[in-house]
Amino acid sequence: GCGIDYANRGIFFTHNGVFLGYAWINADLGQSLYPTIGIDTRCFVSANFGDRPFVFDLGPLSERHEKWIATAFSGFPVSVPKKY
């Protein structure tokens, strides 16, 4: 699989649910990105663009993002709206 880590603007790869690492960090995510598969064989290829559950568990990545966001905004005051 291939995924985007928006916290560090990284593009990473997985294989059978195992994180293989980042191919790019600080990538320009403002440009259009297109999924592409390049092969030089007659083997069967399938792709999952989200219509089925992913094998790679995004939970730990999501938890890391939540901690990163909490840390990044920890110095900002939080105001609670008044109830009328």
Side-chain angles (χ1 to χ4, degrees), residues 6-34:
Y6 288 97
N8 66 7
R9 298 189 339 246
I11 299 174
F12 63 89
F13 288 96
T14 65
H15 183 257
N16 292 333
V18 177
F19 182 80
L20 298 178
Y22 290 96
W24 295 273
I25 294 179
N26 293 320
D28 180 8
L29 300 179
Q31 63 182 336
S32 297
L33 301 173
Y34 302 94

Side-chain angles (χ1 to χ4, degrees), residues 26-83:
N26 293 320
D28 180 8
L29 300 179
Q31 63 182 336
S32 297
L33 301 173
Y34 302 94
T36 305
I37 299 171
I39 58 171
D40 186 17
T41 183
R42 293 180 182 225
C43 292
F44 176 78
V45 174
S46 68
N48 177 6
F49 294 106
D51 56 331
R52 299 181 311 274
F54 295 116
V55 177
F56 178 68
D57 181 11
L58 291 169
L61 190 65
S62 297
E63 290 171 9
R64 193 174 82 222
H65 285 189
E66 289 173 10
K67 289 177 185 175
W68 179 80
I69 291 168
T71 302
F73 290 99
S74 64
F76 292 94
V78 176
S79 61
V80 178
K82 294 180 182 178
K83 293 186 179 181

